[in-house]
Amino acid sequence: MSSIQDMLEVLTPKQQKEFHHFLEQRNTRKSIKNLALLKLVASGKTKDMSHKLYGATQNTAFNALHKRVKDALVGFVATKAFEQESLEEMEILKLLLASRIFFEQGVLKVAINTLEKAERRAQDIDGHTILNEIYQTKIQYAHLSPSWHLDKIIKAQEANSIRHQKDKNLNIAYAQIRVKMKQQGAKNINAIIKDTFTSLSLEVSSDLTFKSLYQLMVITASAAKLQNDYYSISPYMIQIFETLRAKGDVPKKYSFYYLHMLYLMATTHFRNKRFEQSLQTLSVLKNALRERQKKYQASFKEKVLVLETLIATYTGHLQKAIPLLADEKRLLLNGQLVRIMCLFLKTDFKEAYYHFKHLNRSDRWYEQKMGWLGY
C-alpha cells in the first residue's frame, strides 16, 4: 500500500481533495469502496485494510480495488501535469499552424505577424524544437516578406540548433552523472562532473536553458549531499545561479525550476554556515511565492519552515525555532524529524517522545527515505 501513500504525498492537500472529488465523479454507485480505501490510506490506517473494507481477507477483490485507485491516481497526476506544463507550447504551436494557413491563403500581413509572435514566445521559453519549425516556415516564405532576410533567418536557425544540441547534451550528461554517482558513490564526484562535461563539450553559460541550469544545479546539490561536501561544491552552485540570473526574467513555465533553485541555494548557504545569506534567499523565495506563484506555496511551505527552524537552532535561537513547526499538524518526514530534534534539544523529552511514537515504520523504510545522514 506504500505506493498509493507515496503517490498521495506528491499532491498538495488541495490536490488530494480534488482527487477525492475526481473519484466521486467517476463512481456510478452510492456504495463505493475506492473512497473508503483512499480515506484509510490518507489517515495512515493501512493495516488489515482488506478486512476493514470487505469484512474478511478478500485478496482478489482488494487487489483489484487497489489497482483501480492507483491507476486513477496516476491518470489524475498526469492530467494535472499536462494542464500546467503543456499550455504554453500548445499556444505557440497553434500560432505556428495558424500562420501557415494564412500564408497558404495569401493573408500575408497576418501570417507574418502571427509567425513573429510565435517566434518571440518560443524564444521566451527556450522552445528549441518549436523554434526550428518556426524558422523552417520563415525560410519557406522569406520571399514574401520584405523585412525578412534569408541569410539572417538561416543563421538564427543554425544558432538555435547549436543551443538545442547543448541542451540535449546536458540532458545526456545529467543521466550519465546520475548513473556514475550511483555506481561509484561519493568517490570522485567532482571528477565525474568535470569529465562528463568535457566529453560532451559543455560549459556553464547563459546559452543553457532554464531547465538545463536547473538539472545542473540538482546534479551538483546531489553530489554535495552524497559526499557530504557542501564547501567545495558551493562556488559551482553560485556560478550556476548567477548564470540563471543573467538570463533575465524567468518565464512562468519555469517558475518551479526557479523556486527550487532558490531553495537549493538557501540550503547551500545554510550548509556552509552562511546563515544570513540563507535567510535572505529564503526571503526572496517567499516573496516570489506570494507575488507570482501562489500555486506552489503548498509545495515549498514546509521546506522553508524546516530550513528556517534549522537556522534558528544553529544560531542559538532554539526558543524561536520550536514554534515555527509546532502548529503544523501534518508534517512530512523531514519536518517531523526536525521538530523532534528541537524538542529534544529543549529537553522536552515527553513531547519529543509523543511525536517519536508516530514514526512507526521499519528502519529500512526510513533509511530509504532519508538515508543514513538524514537532512
Side-chain angles (χ1 to χ4, degrees):
M1 188 48 57
S2 61
S3 60
I4 291 182
Q5 278 184 310
D6 291 342
M7 292 164 70
L8 284 174
E9 288 179 1
V10 173
L11 305 179
T12 65
K14 181 181 177 181
Q15 290 172 334
Q16 290 180 18
K17 290 180 181 179
E18 290 176 359
F19 178 62
H20 188 280
H21 182 62
F22 174 76
L23 285 183
E24 282 183 324
Q25 290 183 315
R26 293 182 55 169
N27 290 344
T28 57
R29 304 191 302 271
K30 292 183 179 180
S31 178
I32 290 295
K33 288 184 169 57
N34 57 2
L35 297 176
L37 171 64
L38 188 65
K39 185 177 180 180
L40 288 173
V41 174
S43 63
K45 299 176 181 178
T46 57
K47 292 183 178 180
D48 301 321
M49 285 196 296
S50 179
H51 189 273
K52 292 173 183 175
L53 292 170
Y54 293 96
T57 304
Q58 301 184 27
N59 289 331
T60 302
F62 178 74
N63 290 338
L65 174 66
H66 172 271
K67 185 178 185 304
R68 288 198 302 272
V69 174
K70 182 179 177 181
D71 290 346
L73 187 51
V74 170
F76 175 80
V77 171
T79 300
K80 297 295 288 186
F82 184 82
E83 289 174 356
Q84 293 175 5
E85 298 299 329
S86 301
L87 182 61
E88 189 70 20
E89 287 94 334
M90 291 298 295
E91 291 299 319
I92 296 170
L93 185 57
K94 288 177 183 177
L95 290 172
L96 172 60
L97 295 176
S99 72
R100 288 175 175 174
I101 292 172
F102 291 138
F103 273 121
E104 291 169 1
Q105 298 301 319
V107 189
L108 299 183
K109 185 176 180 180
V110 177
I112 292 167
N113 290 337
T114 303
L115 189 59
E116 288 182 341
K117 182 178 180 180
E119 182 182 1
R120 289 193 299 272
R121 292 180 64 172
Q123 288 171 339
D124 287 341
I125 66 167
D126 294 320
H128 299 308
T129 302
I130 300 177
L131 272 171
N132 187 60
E133 293 296 320
I134 291 171
Y135 290 134
Q136 290 280 24
T137 304
K138 290 187 77 172
I139 290 171
Q140 181 180 352
Y141 295 105
H143 63 286
L144 298 177
S145 173
S147 61
W148 289 356
H149 301 284
L150 183 58
D151 57 338
K152 290 183 178 180
I153 299 172
I154 293 173
K155 287 180 180 179
Q157 185 185 43
E158 290 173 347
N160 178 68
S161 296
I162 292 171
R163 287 191 291 270
H164 191 198
Q165 187 59 50
K166 285 184 178 179
D167 197 30
K168 289 195 294 184
N169 284 348
L170 186 59
N171 199 44
I172 293 171
Y174 180 82
Q176 289 180 345
I177 292 169
R178 282 289 194 183
V179 170
K180 291 176 182 177
M181 284 169 58
K182 187 174 182 180
Q183 292 173 343
Q184 301 179 27
K187 183 180 179 181
N188 297 325
I189 292 295
N190 293 327
I192 289 173
I193 295 176
K194 183 178 179 179
D195 292 345
T196 304
F197 267 58
T198 300
S199 67
L200 293 169
S201 301
L202 286 170
E203 61 180 359
V204 179
S205 70
S206 57
D207 285 343
L208 295 177
T209 64
F210 290 101
K211 180 182 178 181
S212 297
L213 289 170
Y214 167 76
Q215 288 181 314
L216 184 54
M217 183 172 277
V218 169
I219 291 172
T220 308
S222 299
K225 184 175 182 180
L226 188 62
Q227 63 186 8
N228 197 27
D229 181 5
Y230 289 84
Y231 179 77
S232 60
I233 292 294
S234 179
Y236 201 41
M237 295 282 286
I238 293 172
Q239 180 189 3
I240 296 169
F241 192 72
E242 289 300 320
T243 303
L244 171 76
R245 294 176 63 180
K247 288 177 70 66
D249 293 336
V250 179
K252 287 186 178 180
K253 172 183 170 61
Y254 299 113
S255 293
F256 180 80
Y257 296 154
Y258 173 60
L259 295 171
H260 196 199
M261 289 173 78
L262 281 170
Y263 172 72
L264 290 175
M265 280 307 305
T267 302
T268 300
H269 288 316
F270 165 73
R271 286 290 192 174
N272 286 280
K273 300 181 181 180
R274 299 190 293 265
F275 301 123
E276 190 61 35
Q277 287 176 268
S278 183
L279 287 173
Q280 290 173 0
T281 307
L282 286 176
S283 179
V284 174
L285 171 56
K286 290 192 290 186
N287 287 335
L289 287 167
R290 281 194 297 266
E291 294 172 4
R292 300 185 299 163
Q293 304 301 332
K294 293 183 179 179
K295 66 178 181 179
Y296 293 122
Q297 283 185 352
S299 300
F300 286 93
K301 180 184 177 182
E302 184 174 324
K303 289 184 172 72
V304 171
L305 282 175
V306 167
L307 197 48
E308 288 178 331
T309 301
L310 289 168
I311 292 171
T313 302
Y314 277 82
T315 54
H317 300 94
L318 186 60
Q319 294 299 326
K320 180 182 177 181
I322 292 175
L324 291 173
L325 293 174
D327 296 333
E328 296 296 318
K329 296 180 180 179
R330 296 185 62 183
L331 289 172
L332 298 177
L333 179 57
N334 200 39
Q336 294 178 55
L337 294 173
V338 171
R339 178 168 58 188
I340 292 170
M341 178 194 74
C342 289
L343 290 169
F344 187 83
L345 291 173
K346 189 187 174 186
T347 67
D348 191 347
F349 302 127
K350 183 177 180 180
E351 184 70 11
Y353 181 64
Y354 169 78
H355 292 290
F356 184 77
K357 287 192 299 183
H358 291 83
L359 303 178
N360 50 17
R361 291 181 177 270
S362 67
D363 292 346
R364 180 177 177 79
W365 187 89
Y366 288 113
E367 182 185 339
Q368 290 175 338
K369 276 285 185 179
M370 297 297 296
W372 281 103
L373 297 177
Y375 186 88

